[in-house]
Amino acid sequence: MALTLHSSTSFIKSKDNRSCRSSDDFTSAVSFAHQMKQPSSQHRATHVAQLSPAEGISSHSEGMHGLVEKLHGMTAPHSHSNSRVPVFVMLPLDTVSVGGNLNKPRAMLASLMALKTSGVEGVMVDVWWGLVEKDGPLKYNWEGYAELMNMVKKVGLKLQAVMSFHQCGGNVGDSCTIPLPPWVLEEISKNPDLVYTDKSGRRNPEYISLGCDSLAVLRGRTPIQVYSDFMRSFRKRFKDYIGEVVVEVQVGMGPCGELRYPSYPESNGTWRFPGIGEFQCYDKYMRASLAAAAEAIGKDEWGQRGPHDAGQYNQFPEDTGFFQRDGAWNSEYGQFFMGWYSSKLLDHGEKILRAANIIFQGTGAKLSGKVAGIHWHYKTRSHAAELTAGYYNTRHRDGYLPIARMMAKHGAVFNFTCMEMRDGEQPSEANCSPEGLVRQVKMATKLAGTELAGENALERYDGGAFSQVLATSRSDSGNALSAFTYLRMNKRLFEADNWRNMVEFVRSMSEGGRSTRLPESDRVGTDLYVGFIKQKNMRKESEAALV
């Protein structure tokens, strides 16, 4: 999901000076347990109630070290079973401020200590390109992340670092805006074809188009070189942490950090769930590549543009000629186009992971890449929403096995979303099957011989969501999960009922995912699909504006 704008230059002025808005105050959040009832059988993590942030942090005489030692003694023991699935928790998007400093460090420390007592393995943080290299090419500011890393180490947690080469803002759950570096935006304003473009000419500034991966369009460097230099600087700055504290480096490869095209941009209402999305192949670099591919097989006419009958963002497959049941997606032309479109995405992932593998080889940190869980229209023949995103997955073709094999080639963990979703929670007209999609991905990663890790796609705190993750974490159908990262740490997570569910979930994952202590469904009947979440967030914003 990405921010799409009609003008190729308007976003430069409107976004450059915007700063992050923190959506959650963890200082109040971490005092959650003062309101909790503590059953005698409850996990020891609840005892963090007696240590408020003010008590634990403001005293310089005791300091961080003393409090950490106190909490280490309360940490829940992990199971040593081979089926144990370590749980990580995503930190807020604005963990590091626009100025490059750690946001609310005292509250962050208290929150990390609470997570430590719950038994989680560690946390995940976005390392934003737009913050670190914002002052100019090769001018890196790592100080906010250095402060965080030191804090994570002292608390005794591990860290998953995401090389976030995309813009933050415009997606479900985004609480702040972090554009690409200003000097990159300047280059885009001069050459709008540097970003993805749809058939109507809408430019998307969330991520550099993969069409120019190997062209020196960023002040003498190619995008792949820029990403490589960024990762190399990260490795050099944090060489004493990588492998010990930083146990995983997730390499961003597209919008939202996912290996995909920005086919379903939500900003400005361009796309709404469960629309099929649109192909993103109309910048001049992508058009030139398509023309060359068509010419190579003697079909010049196929290289003039993308499918003419693929519809619009918010249509359904049967509304189009290309995606309908017996549409052109399964014709010779459709197979040519989808083969080209998806192979470009695979090549993009290949280039970035190859570079990352060379840079982080021997450091002890795992590599990973993220793939989106596009589960709407999964039950149709064409799988239209997956096709526009670049996943050539249809009734007749497995689109995830090639991705899994590409990741396996570079020793990267395949990280997949929507692990918490059930088919019955989705609107019937959208032909969703998140459970079927997860089963397919589990089998693809098993066949490819690569590790599979998971995330929840939407913010969920109910026992039903946790129970579904427990079920999908096992190897009953294909690959078992090697790790799970929970989205996201905020004040709602620390509310009494939510925290109890989280603690029980972490314990169950440490026992191989076979707990029956969590409810098997969402008993309150919540609407749990992406469109509902977006509408709910918009209502909250409107209500806040009226106060």
Side-chain angles (χ1 to χ4, degrees):
M1 291 170 264
L3 179 61
T4 298
L5 301 162
H6 292 272
S7 167
S8 61
T9 58
S10 61
F11 64 87
I12 304 294
K13 295 179 180 178
S14 64
K15 296 294 184 184
D16 270 359
N17 298 318
R18 291 184 62 181
S19 60
C20 278
R21 305 179 304 278
S22 176
S23 60
D24 297 294
D25 185 350
F26 292 112
T27 304
S28 61
V30 183
S31 62
F32 67 95
H34 286 294
Q35 306 168 16
M36 291 179 62
K37 297 179 181 178
Q38 297 183 19
S40 59
S41 61
Q42 184 62 8
H43 199 288
R44 280 179 290 176
T46 54
H47 294 307
V48 76
Q50 280 72 47
L51 296 167
S52 71
E55 294 168 335
I57 301 168
S58 61
S59 171
H60 292 286
S61 59
E62 178 175 349
M64 183 188 298
H65 294 287
L67 190 53
V68 169
E69 288 175 8
K70 188 179 296 184
L71 283 166
H72 269 314
M74 296 158 47
T75 301
H78 282 307
S79 166
H80 293 289
S81 166
N82 289 333
S83 60
R84 171 181 173 268
V85 181
V87 176
F88 293 77
V89 177
M90 293 185 199
L91 295 181
L93 295 167
D94 60 350
T95 290
V96 173
S97 70
V98 172
N101 302 311
L102 182 63
N103 259 329
K104 302 180 181 177
R106 290 167 57 173
M108 176 60 71
L109 175 60
S111 300
L112 292 177
M113 292 188 296
L115 291 176
K116 175 65 177 175
T117 65
S118 75
V120 303
E121 186 81 2
V123 292
M124 172 182 277
V125 68
D126 286 281
V127 182
W128 294 107
W129 181 30
L131 295 183
V132 174
E133 200 177 356
K134 73 182 181 69
D135 292 334
L138 300 170
K139 296 179 180 178
Y140 305 108
N141 177 8
W142 298 109
E143 295 317 301
Y145 292 101
E147 187 177 355
L148 173 68
M149 215 166 286
N150 190 48
M151 188 180 289
V152 169
K153 179 180 180 179
K154 289 182 177 179
V155 171
L157 293 171
K158 304 298 182 183
L159 185 73
Q160 296 170 320
V162 184
M163 303 291 101
S164 296
F165 299 119
H166 61 285
Q167 169 187 282
C168 176
N171 302 311
V172 170
D174 283 356
S175 57
C176 66
T177 299
I178 303 172
L180 301 185
W183 61 272
V184 175
L185 297 180
E186 288 177 16
E187 296 305 309
I188 295 171
S189 68
K190 299 173 191 174
N191 181 7
D193 284 290
L194 292 180
V195 296
Y196 287 117
T197 307
D198 66 17
K199 64 185 177 185
S200 301
R202 278 180 287 245
R203 308 287 189 178
N204 190 316
E206 187 179 356
Y207 189 78
I208 300 294
S209 169
L210 62 80
C212 55
D213 271 350
S214 302
L215 302 174
V217 293
L218 296 179
R219 299 196 180 177
R221 291 185 294 165
T222 71
I224 299 298
Q225 288 173 331
V226 171
Y227 305 149
S228 299
D229 289 340
F230 183 94
M231 292 188 286
R232 197 173 291 109
S233 177
F234 176 85
R235 183 201 65 190
K236 182 179 179 181
R237 177 64 178 82
F238 298 113
K239 64 181 186 302
D240 295 333
Y241 293 86
I242 299 175
E244 295 295 328
V245 178
V246 181
V247 293
E248 180 180 324
V249 176
Q250 186 175 111
V251 186
M253 295 181 282
C256 290
E258 297 165 337
L259 180 63
R260 65 172 176 86
Y261 294 98
S263 57
Y264 48 102
E266 284 201 289
S267 188
N268 302 325
T270 302
W271 172 88
R272 296 183 305 276
F273 177 86
I276 58 176
E278 289 189 17
F279 292 115
Q280 306 291 311
C281 57
Y282 293 91
D283 63 79
K284 68 181 181 182
Y285 304 107
M286 291 293 282
R287 291 201 314 268
S289 174
L290 177 60
E295 182 181 355
I297 62 169
K299 296 281 190 179
D300 291 17
E301 67 277 13
W302 287 358
Q304 295 177 7
R305 54 174 294 142
H308 69 279
D309 56 351
Q312 299 175 346
Y313 285 106
N314 294 308
Q315 289 187 303
F316 277 50
E318 292 304 312
D319 298 332
T320 75
F322 191 80
F323 295 118
Q324 64 184 338
R325 180 182 177 89
D326 297 313
W329 62 272
N330 201 31
S331 67
E332 186 182 358
Y333 163 73
Q335 292 168 17
F336 158 77
F337 176 79
M338 283 312 310
W340 167 79
Y341 190 67
S342 62
S343 68
K344 291 291 289 184
L345 189 66
L346 275 173
D347 289 345
H348 176 65
E350 175 91 32
K351 291 171 185 173
I352 297 182
L353 286 180
R354 183 190 302 120
N357 196 15
I358 293 171
I359 291 166
F360 293 105
Q361 192 170 26
T363 63
K366 286 184 177 181
L367 281 185
S368 70
K370 188 175 177 182
V371 175
I374 302 175
H375 56 84
W376 50 103
H377 305 300
Y378 182 83
K379 292 181 179 179
T380 64
R381 286 175 174 260
S382 66
H383 292 234
E386 291 162 88
L387 295 190
T388 57
Y391 304 152
Y392 192 2
N393 190 55
T394 69
R395 181 71 58 87
H396 313 303
R397 189 181 189 278
D398 187 342
Y400 298 99
L401 185 55
I403 298 174
R405 284 175 173 158
M406 183 270 291
M407 291 194 178
K409 179 179 176 182
H410 299 288
V413 178
F414 189 117
N415 188 281
F416 197 64
T417 61
C418 80
M419 292 289 178
E420 86 285 12
M421 293 184 173
R422 299 178 189 235
D423 291 1
E425 296 168 346
Q426 312 303 318
S428 58
E429 67 273 12
N431 283 304
C432 299
S433 183
E435 293 179 66
L437 177 57
V438 167
R439 282 194 297 270
Q440 181 182 352
V441 167
K442 289 180 73 175
M443 188 56 65
T445 53
K446 183 176 182 179
L447 290 172
T450 189
E451 288 185 30
L452 174 66
E455 297 179 4
N456 49 310
L458 303 175
E459 286 188 15
R460 294 280 297 272
Y461 308 93
D462 59 284
F466 287 126
S467 291
Q468 182 64 13
V469 174
L470 289 173
T472 58
S473 71
R474 303 193 296 263
S475 60
D476 300 15
S477 59
N479 221 359
L481 295 188
S482 63
F484 180 80
T485 303
Y486 175 78
L487 181 156
R488 170 179 315 272
M489 187 178 86
N490 56 32
K491 63 183 179 182
R492 286 194 65 193
L493 174 62
F494 295 115
E495 292 173 2
D497 289 341
N498 297 341
W499 183 248
R500 275 192 287 267
N501 281 341
M502 181 67 180
V503 169
E504 184 58 53
F505 168 69
V506 173
R507 181 167 64 179
S508 297
M509 292 289 270
S510 75
E511 297 170 354
R514 299 198 176 271
S515 170
T516 58
R517 293 183 288 270
L518 286 163
E520 289 298 318
S521 63
D522 173 28
R523 292 176 177 171
V524 298
T526 314
D527 292 299
L528 298 167
Y529 56 93
V530 66
F532 174 82
I533 298 294
K534 179 68 174 177
Q535 293 159 14
K536 186 177 180 182
N537 288 343
M538 290 175 65
R539 285 200 300 271
K540 285 183 179 179
E541 291 173 5
S542 299
E543 291 167 1
L546 295 173
V547 175

